[in-house]
Amino acid sequence: MSEHRRKPPQPQGGGRAEARRGQSGSSSGRRAAPRGATGSPSDAYGSNSYGSAGEEPSYGGRAEARRAAQRSGGGRRRAAEPGRGGRRGMPDGPTGPGRGRGRAAVPGKKRFIDYPRSGKYGVARWLPSWKLVAGLFIGFFGSMVAVAGIAYAMVGVPDIAKTAEAQNNVFYWSDGSEMVATGGETNRQIVNLSQIPKAMQYAVISQENKTFYTDSGIDPKGIARAVFNMARGGETQGGSTITQQFVKNAMLDDQSQTVSRKFKEIFVSIKVGTTVSKDEIMAGYLNSAYYGRGAYGIQAAARAYFNKDAVDLNPGECAFLAAMLKGATYYDPAGATSLDSSATPEANSRRALVQMQNTLDKMVEYGHLSATDRAKYTKLPTWQNPRSNNKLSGQVGYLVDLAKAYLVNNTNISADDLQKGGYSIYTTFDKKKVKELETAVTNVQKANIKPKQRPKTDTHVQFGAASVEPSTGAIRAIYGGEDATKHFTNNADVTGAQIGSTMKPFVLAAAMQWGVRDKSLGAEQAQDERTQISPKSLYSGKNKLKIKDYDGTIWKNEKGEEWLQTNDGNESYGSPPKYQIDLREAMRESVNSAFVQLGMDVGLDKVKEAAIAAGLKKDSLAGTSFPSFSIGISDPSAIRMAGAYGTFASSGKQRDPFSVTKVTSKDGTVFTHEDKVTQAFTAPVADNVTDVLKTVVEKGTGTNAQLPGRQVAGKTGTTDGNKSAWFVGYTPQLSTSITMFRYDDDESQKNRTFLEMYGTGGQEKIHGASFPSEIWHDYMTEALKGTEAEDFPTPEQIGEVVNDVPSPTPTPTPSETLTSPTPSPTPSETLTSPSPSASESCQFSWQCTDTGGTDTGGTDGGVTSTPTATETSGNGNSRGNGNGGLFGGSSG
């Protein structure tokens, strides 16, 4: 007892212990009368309240007294002490003392679960006994065994004949009509284990489950890891053993990735491991696994990749197909950039080769293949192109790929989920517009491109196009190529073709949004002190202009060599000696020197920022180390270019292009597109850019794109070496980009080369003002038929007129006649400034070869030089298999 607690007065005749003993020892069994009941002072103070002292049993001390009281059912404080009421302030009654706190336990009665524990005090009262803990554990374990037994009895062994019955994905046009049902075709033929080479069996055993023939069919550690990972919201994981993987493949009735499904897989795997032979499991796994290209099972895979039967596969081919089991999206050498920008043919080939070699090495290590045989397979086997699917012919295949890529990159729906099928996918594609765009391209191509007549100039010609709705960002139509089952690269997606002078509107937007830097200030202060410019600002249109940094110093490369910027045809614009020309006129005639210098005054970082704000992907844009950045050495996709120009059409409101509005499944709606709008530029800036671009179509390089009765804004673009040409234009309702280029379309060539277009189509050279603008005109005429003509907003006056020095009215020197279908080429002039050093800091290595040289592209000016590495940049998707694609790596 605490020393600070006051002890009650001890009664005479034995103290408190004696008093408690007196209570239990009363001869009558009844409580003694309370103090003072007889009115005698001597009774009140001279004797205890339990009765006479002579009736009191004798105990050996206070401890013994407490034990006696507890045995009698009282417990400490459960019986009231003499003279103390059980409740504070309650007087003793006429028949006995006040009631104690709580009732005394009935003597001899025990609880089934003694918790809190009786007879214990303090912390010990709340600590369970070992008997209780052991009982609970045994009960829980017994329950789990019972549940496991019931679950084991209820699950069945998968039937291989019912596996791989994937459902279709149904794609719908924007009007709700069905486009195509695809993705669920079952390309599978079951074969007996005797028809599957031992090398194939050993390949998957060596790579996936080396203890296959000795294990019980499950991997407890792998299971625990997978369940824990899923329970905390991490990525789902597949089975760790071949048995588990077979069960996973076979359980197509429930494809949810949940902890409960994982437990179900475990019980099925245990049952399969104990009731099915290893040979049957192996055959079931190899016949149900997905190898990519729509092929389920080893027989279908052998045909899809090698056009042979499974029994004829050699060890190298077996190791190759074993790699496909890890995910054909990333291992199929044909590539899958529509699903993931990193799944380029080159990257996939590297991964497949490394995985194949690793499998062969393990087969040797585990004694399944001799070192002599293994030495025969050091390269990827010769594989064939993916099979054609007639349902996906024409433009439909490109549309389906685009929609799938969008879902994979922007939702929780994975590529594997799409392969399993069962989705209804509602796209933004307008069936009528898709057909009209294809017709416009086909008509121009057939009328002008004659590969049989001009094999040296008209072969390998490619067109790409995209049409986006500025008010929503919805992709209404694309042209990906001649046929999705013959030409696998989607030309509306990133191709590596540089955009040339179609970059210039972003330079103008940056100059009006942020302004040019003050030449009199230091670099850091000049970033804050800027002058917002007007389209009436004057810049030099001189050919071979010495480009200056914003502070007025001549720009030099790392070798100290000056940059001399040339114009198309080596012509100067404006009157000597200053050759001043306002920015509207410079845009109309696509004067390189003016916009290169403007870009330097604004800062190339701001030009890049403007392009990204408009909707171009950062990865599609070149580095800003060289002045030529302003005139288009970058290679965004046609889709992104249409979307970015759509930002100007919508008065600066930017919306990312998208291709899917809604996805449903048996579980209901699983995805709905949400409109996300960003104010990329102020309305005055965007509207002034549009007003300047209207001039290009009205009386500049884009006159072929005029639409009678409608306002049109746009820009032409051509690159050095005449290797690509663009026209990007828009009305308030629709923004469309057209690109044209040549490259060797040999799928087996690792480094595709962009080819010159001199003489293509019977013209001396191709430029944005020719075939691309003609296609744009034909398509937009039909696409807008029946819609009311709308005008662009009237722009507010903006900014200050910089470099306003009186000079004669700008008059361009004689130049090519724009209406001429075959403009005369002007020999390219050799620059005095050599190519920048490769050591120059660039975002991509190929950009370091840009010389800033002459533009021999077309009447619209264009990029001064085409980087060499891009001309030989891969397998048709260039460096950009996804870089700068529509949705984060891949346009989708």
Side-chain angles (χ1 to χ4, degrees):
M1 180 179 293
S2 169
E3 63 182 356
H4 300 291
R5 183 174 178 181
R6 175 175 297 187
K7 298 180 181 180
Q10 297 296 317
Q12 298 297 317
R16 293 171 62 190
E18 289 293 324
R20 284 191 292 271
R21 285 193 294 270
Q23 180 183 13
S24 61
S26 175
S27 60
S28 65
R30 294 182 300 171
R31 294 182 179 178
R35 284 182 304 182
T38 62
S40 172
S42 62
D43 289 338
Y45 296 99
S47 62
N48 62 51
S49 60
Y50 293 93
S52 66
E55 298 173 331
E56 199 175 339
S58 176
Y59 294 97
R62 294 175 62 188
E64 183 63 26
R66 281 196 300 272
R67 286 192 291 272
Q70 291 169 1
R71 285 192 297 271
S72 68
R76 191 175 185 180
R77 290 195 177 191
R78 290 197 176 185
E81 293 180 2
R84 297 178 62 186
R87 297 181 182 177
R88 183 173 297 178
M90 178 180 292
D92 292 343
T95 60
R99 297 175 61 187
R101 294 185 182 181
R103 296 178 180 178
V106 179
K109 185 176 182 180
K110 295 183 179 180
R111 292 177 293 170
F112 179 72
I113 299 178
D114 186 20
Y115 191 84
R117 300 171 66 187
S118 62
K120 301 290 182 181
Y121 307 98
V123 176
R125 179 173 173 81
W126 301 100
L127 291 177
S129 67
W130 69 268
K131 293 181 179 179
L132 178 60
V133 172
L136 290 175
F137 176 78
I138 293 172
F140 175 77
F141 184 76
S143 299
M144 292 300 295
V145 170
V147 170
I150 294 172
Y152 180 86
M154 291 180 66
V155 298
V157 176
D159 183 354
I160 185 61
K162 296 180 180 179
T163 63
E165 295 178 356
Q167 302 177 65
N168 280 325
N169 292 315
V170 183
F171 292 80
Y172 296 91
W173 295 104
S174 59
D175 64 0
S177 60
E178 184 175 320
M179 178 197 303
V180 66
T182 185
E185 299 86 358
T186 305
N187 176 20
R188 179 173 63 86
Q189 179 183 354
I190 297 176
V191 293
N192 294 327
L193 190 64
S194 61
Q195 298 300 304
I196 302 175
K198 281 289 185 182
M200 188 66 212
Q201 301 174 46
Y202 290 137
V204 296
I205 289 173
S206 300
Q207 190 59 250
E208 304 288 342
N209 184 192
K210 66 179 180 179
T211 61
F212 170 70
Y213 283 110
T214 59
D215 62 36
S216 62
I218 61 171
D219 175 11
K221 291 183 179 179
I223 292 171
R225 183 171 59 252
V227 171
F228 174 76
N229 198 40
M230 287 189 295
R232 65 188 182 93
E235 293 183 1
T236 58
Q237 298 180 356
S240 300
T241 68
I242 288 176
T243 302
Q244 288 176 259
Q245 292 180 53
F246 163 58
V247 170
K248 182 177 183 296
N249 293 340
M251 291 175 63
L252 293 176
D253 59 320
D254 178 13
Q255 288 300 322
S256 59
Q257 295 295 335
T258 61
V259 174
S260 62
R261 183 182 187 276
K262 180 59 62 177
F263 275 114
K264 184 177 179 181
E265 286 181 13
I266 293 171
F267 287 117
V268 176
S269 297
I270 293 173
K271 193 160 191 174
V272 168
T274 57
T275 62
V276 180
S277 70
K278 292 293 185 179
D279 284 350
E280 289 180 88
I281 294 173
M282 175 61 71
Y285 171 59
L286 293 177
N287 276 311
S288 64
Y290 181 64
Y291 297 79
R293 300 191 179 186
Y296 287 90
I298 186 63
Q299 175 65 17
R303 282 293 174 187
Y305 288 93
F306 306 116
N307 196 28
K308 62 169 63 174
D309 290 328
V311 70
D312 297 323
L313 294 172
N314 63 45
E317 292 165 339
C318 291
F320 172 91
L321 291 178
M324 297 305 107
L325 294 173
K326 299 184 74 65
T329 297
Y330 301 101
Y331 289 90
D332 186 345
T337 53
S338 64
L339 295 178
D340 193 317
S341 61
S342 66
T344 63
E346 293 88 353
N348 282 15
S349 295
R350 287 194 298 270
R351 282 189 283 260
L353 180 60
V354 170
Q355 187 65 32
M356 170 187 165
Q357 296 302 308
N358 180 262
T359 299
L360 291 169
D361 289 341
K362 287 183 176 180
M363 290 172 70
V364 174
E365 179 184 350
Y366 302 145
H368 302 315
L369 183 68
S370 69
T372 302
D373 287 340
R374 188 260 176 271
K376 299 176 183 178
Y377 309 107
T378 57
K379 298 180 180 180
L380 285 178
T382 302
W383 48 272
Q384 63 181 6
N385 284 325
R387 278 184 170 185
S388 298
N389 181 340
N390 291 331
K391 291 183 179 180
L392 302 177
S393 61
Q395 298 305 304
V396 172
Y398 301 122
L399 298 173
V400 167
D401 284 347
L402 202 61
K404 289 167 65 177
Y406 177 79
L407 293 177
V408 170
N409 288 290
N410 294 275
T411 73
N412 293 325
I413 301 173
S414 68
D416 286 344
D417 293 334
L418 287 173
Q419 183 57 49
K420 293 165 187 172
Y423 294 103
S424 294
I425 300 168
Y426 297 84
T427 74
T428 62
F429 307 131
D430 186 308
K431 184 177 183 179
K432 177 175 174 288
K433 288 182 173 62
V434 170
K435 183 62 177 177
E436 289 165 346
L437 184 54
E438 182 180 28
T439 299
V441 173
T442 302
N443 287 345
V444 169
Q445 187 170 20
K446 287 184 176 180
N448 299 280
I449 309 302
K450 309 290 186 181
K452 293 182 178 179
Q453 296 179 17
R454 296 182 291 267
K456 292 184 178 180
T457 60
D458 286 19
T459 54
H460 310 301
V461 174
Q462 296 292 331
F463 292 92
S467 195
V468 175
E469 192 173 73
S471 61
T472 63
I475 303 171
R476 293 307 182 191
I478 66 166
Y479 179 83
E482 180 182 357
D483 190 318
T485 62
K486 299 175 182 177
H487 174 76
F488 304 111
T489 302
N490 186 349
N491 293 342
D493 201 344
V494 286
T495 61
Q498 294 180 347
I499 60 175
S501 288
T502 55
M503 183 72 182
K504 289 174 182 174
F506 305 118
V507 182
L508 180 61
M512 290 193 293
Q513 180 82 8
W514 294 292
V516 296
R517 293 173 288 185
D518 191 330
K519 297 179 181 180
S520 65
L521 301 176
E524 185 173 344
Q525 189 177 358
Q527 291 292 339
D528 300 322
E529 300 293 334
R530 292 173 173 269
T531 301
Q532 187 182 31
I533 71 165
S534 162
K536 297 179 181 179
S537 297
L538 302 176
Y539 272 81
S540 176
K542 182 181 179 180
N543 185 53
K544 297 180 68 174
L545 178 69
K546 288 186 178 181
I547 299 302
K548 299 178 181 180
D549 213 334
Y550 79 95
D551 59 2
T553 59
I554 302 297
W555 193 92
K556 297 178 181 180
N557 64 15
E558 78 286 354
K559 295 181 180 179
E561 298 160 333
E562 296 179 348
W563 186 284
L564 302 179
Q565 183 59 56
T566 60
N567 295 321
D568 174 57
N570 298 306
E571 297 178 10
S572 294
Y573 291 80
S575 300
K578 291 185 177 294
Y579 294 99
Q580 283 189 320
I581 183 172
D582 69 35
L583 292 177
R584 182 183 298 273
E585 184 77 5
M587 185 72 78
R588 190 187 81 180
E589 298 299 334
S590 201
V591 180
N592 289 340
S593 56
F595 280 95
V596 169
Q597 186 58 61
L598 177 61
M600 298 300 288
D601 290 351
V602 175
L604 298 182
D605 59 330
K606 289 297 184 183
V607 174
K608 189 170 188 174
E609 186 177 342
I612 294 172
L616 299 187
K617 301 299 291 182
K618 182 178 180 180
D619 289 344
S620 72
L621 298 173
T624 56
S625 299
F626 299 101
S628 56
F629 177 80
S630 293
I631 48 177
I633 59 174
S634 301
D635 58 1
S637 68
I639 295 171
R640 280 286 171 178
M641 287 299 290
Y645 272 49
T647 299
F648 298 131
S650 59
S651 295
K653 294 182 175 64
Q654 190 272 329
R655 297 173 174 85
D656 275 344
F658 70 100
S659 56
V660 178
T661 58
K662 183 177 67 173
V663 179
T664 62
S665 71
K666 63 181 178 61
D667 299 320
T669 300
V670 296
F671 167 75
T672 301
H673 172 76
E674 296 181 2
D675 189 24
K676 297 180 181 179
V677 184
T678 302
Q679 192 70 42
F681 309 108
T682 64
V685 168
D687 293 342
N688 270 276
V689 171
T690 294
D691 194 58
V692 170
L693 293 181
K694 283 171 57 181
T695 307
V696 175
V697 177
E698 290 170 355
K699 51 184 178 180
T701 59
T703 54
N704 280 348
Q706 292 177 359
L707 299 175
R710 293 184 184 274
Q711 292 188 358
V712 176
K715 185 69 186 76
T716 51
T718 307
T719 58
D720 180 51
N722 209 207
K723 294 172 182 175
S724 64
W726 291 73
F727 183 79
V728 187
Y730 55 94
T731 67
Q733 298 105 317
L734 204 59
S735 177
T736 301
S737 63
I738 310 293
T739 180
M740 176 182 178
F741 49 88
R742 288 181 70 208
Y743 61 53
D744 192 337
D745 199 32
D746 181 1
E747 292 293 332
S748 64
Q749 184 174 324
K750 292 183 179 180
N751 296 311
R752 283 178 174 162
T753 303
F754 279 82
L755 307 174
E756 295 178 344
M757 292 190 290
Y758 295 115
T760 298
Q763 298 192 5
E764 291 295 333
K765 58 181 177 181
I766 301 297
H767 42 82
S770 57
F771 297 144
S773 63
E774 184 179 344
I775 293 170
W776 189 96
H777 169 273
D778 294 349
Y779 162 68
M780 292 290 280
T781 298
E782 295 299 320
L784 295 173
K785 188 174 291 185
T787 63
E788 184 178 351
E790 296 182 14
D791 292 340
F792 293 114
T794 301
E796 301 176 13
Q797 288 189 355
I798 190 172
E800 299 180 18
V801 179
V802 301
N803 304 325
D804 187 11
V805 178
S807 62
T809 302
T811 304
T813 57
S815 61
E816 297 173 337
T817 302
L818 296 179
T819 57
S820 171
T822 56
S824 302
T826 303
S828 178
E829 210 170 83
T830 303
L831 287 185
T832 58
S833 173
S835 300
S837 166
S839 64
E840 184 74 17
S841 175
C842 300
Q843 182 179 359
F844 301 103
S845 61
W846 55 264
Q847 295 160 3
C848 297
T849 61
D850 185 8
T851 65
T854 59
D855 181 356
T856 59
T859 58
D860 65 324
V863 65
T864 60
S865 174
T866 303
T868 303
T870 299
E871 298 170 9
T872 59
S873 57
N875 60 359
N877 291 333
S878 182
R879 70 171 182 79
N881 269 316
N883 284 343
L886 176 54
F887 302 105
S890 171
S891 305

